[in-house]
Amino acid sequence: MSGPAPSPLRVLAWPGSRSQNPYTELLYAAVGAAARADGRTFEVVEFRPHRAWRERADVVHVHWPELCVEASSTPKALVKTAVVLFGLRVLTARGAALVWTRHNSSGHDQPHPRIERFLRRRFEAMVDGVIDLTDADSAPPNGAVCRVVIRHGDYAAALPLRDREEARRERGLEPENTLLASVGTIRPYKEVPMLVRAFAEATPRLPDARLLVAGRPASAELGREVATAAGRAPVALELGWLDDDAMAGALAAADVVVLSYRRLENSGVALLALTAGRPVAATDGPAVRDLLDLVGDEWVRPLAHPVGAASLVDLVQWARRPRTGRPDLSAFSWPEIGRRTLQFYDEVRCN
């Protein structure tokens, strides 16, 4: 005689559904598959702090707590921070375990640094378990019972296939052109204007090189700064929202994807580019070195910051090296990520 069906593992996720990045959807699909393979039921629901009193949760899984303080005004940031912290406090008081995937140690652009510091102190004191994406990340915050390294997954299930030659023809590229690409939302910390200025300075030494900047600027002012930096240099600007097909086209056309960020801890764009079979050059640091160790120097190249014309000349030569096949992304396999995340939920709930 069979026993009762297991009660569902219910996770409130923030964010749970896709906004701009399909990472969270891919993650929870993998966790759900792992749960079903184990004969368990799994439910993931978007965390809504104002509904905390009415929600039941075994786990609350937060990815980017700094989203609280990205509001346009200080009062809005304060209110959102207070509401989110209160909602989390209610859920943890009612028995939910709080898990944090630590994508970054702090917000990228920090529009309200004092509010963010307040948020971090209160939030980290509530955390029961930390998921880090690389071995390079630091020890867990005070109060965290558990810590585990579970890597960022690839984007194979979310990235459409685009023909490389077609994508290059759409952008007027000749076979001899080497295309450097900066893709994704253009935000201040990514320092895209600096990259464009460095490329413009390097163009006399790189007559066959081109630069593509594709993505929506975070502000009209930042978009104008990118356009001014481009001047008359051979820079193609696709300044707008990139849907999946447009993103896939930009990646397919590129010879190397350049991440000239002020500070790079973990990057979904790097995994997106590697999933598309494109080499990545990214600001040097522990996370990039970790990626280099996993994927190899044929596909990952650390960049000194700030990026300059000389380093771009060297980068173009590196990008022109012949490559066969695609990078080995087995370390970023979703089935294993889902299994280990489910296992970590159980570990945190038992502590």
Side-chain angles (χ1 to χ4, degrees), residues 10-12 57-62 88 91-100 126-129 344-351:
R10 195 167 198 266
V11 173
L12 298 186
D58 301 299
V59 174
V60 183
H61 191 169
V62 176
L88 292 174
L91 287 162
T92 54
R94 295 172 61 202
L98 179 56
V99 172
W100 175 27
M126 287 190 277
V127 168
D128 298 298
F344 188 64
Y345 287 163
D346 291 336
E347 181 182 349
V348 172
R349 291 172 65 205
C350 290
N351 283 325

Side-chain angles (χ1 to χ4, degrees), residues 133-147:
L133 299 174
T134 73
D135 290 318
D137 293 310
S138 58
N142 291 335
V145 176
C146 309
R147 174 184 180 263

Side-chain angles (χ1 to χ4, degrees), residues 3-9 35 38-42:
S7 60
L9 174 65
D38 203 28
R40 303 171 62 180
T41 55
F42 172 75

Side-chain angles (χ1 to χ4, degrees), residues 201-218:
E201 182 183 342
T203 50
R205 289 178 278 173
L206 297 171
D208 294 325
R210 303 289 184 267
L211 175 65
L212 169 65
V213 177
R216 182 172 59 189

Side-chain angles (χ1 to χ4, degrees), residues 261-301:
Y261 302 177
R262 181 186 312 135
R263 172 176 57 89
L264 193 150
E265 293 181 67
N266 297 288
S267 172
V269 175
L271 264 296
L272 189 65
L274 291 168
T275 301
R278 311 295 357 120
V280 172
T283 301
D284 200 1
V288 173
R289 294 286 169 172
D290 186 67
L291 190 61
L292 175 66
D293 290 342
L294 289 167
V295 183
D297 60 7
E298 183 180 8
W299 297 100
V300 178
R301 183 180 179 89

Side-chain angles (χ1 to χ4, degrees), residues 7-124:
S7 60
L9 174 65
R10 195 167 198 266
V11 173
L12 298 186
W14 188 44
S17 59
R18 176 175 181 173
S19 51
Q20 298 178 8
N21 187 342
Y23 163 81
T24 52
E25 281 191 355
L26 294 170
L27 170 65
Y28 295 117
V31 176
R36 290 190 295 275
D38 203 28
R40 303 171 62 180
T41 55
F42 172 75
E43 180 184 14
V44 60
V45 179
E46 192 79 19
F47 166 63
R48 305 291 186 195
H50 61 282
R51 295 171 52 186
W53 286 107
R54 303 197 301 271
E55 295 282 10
R56 185 195 73 79
D58 301 299
V59 174
V60 183
H61 191 169
V62 176
H63 291 271
W64 295 280
E66 63 270 18
L67 292 175
C68 289
V69 294
E70 291 188 357
S72 56
S73 69
T74 298
K76 287 182 179 179
L78 279 169
V79 169
K80 189 170 184 180
T81 296
V83 170
V84 167
L85 288 174
F86 179 75
L88 292 174
R89 178 63 69 188
V90 168
L91 287 162
T92 54
R94 295 172 61 202
L98 179 56
V99 172
W100 175 27
T101 292
R102 186 164 48 175
H103 295 262
N104 311 293
S105 60
S106 62
H108 289 302
D109 295 318
Q110 295 186 306
H112 307 288
R114 292 179 64 184
I115 301 174
E116 182 171 340
R117 287 194 294 271
F118 170 83
L119 165 71
R120 290 277 175 173
R121 287 196 300 271
R122 302 305 191 275
F123 173 75
E124 292 180 7

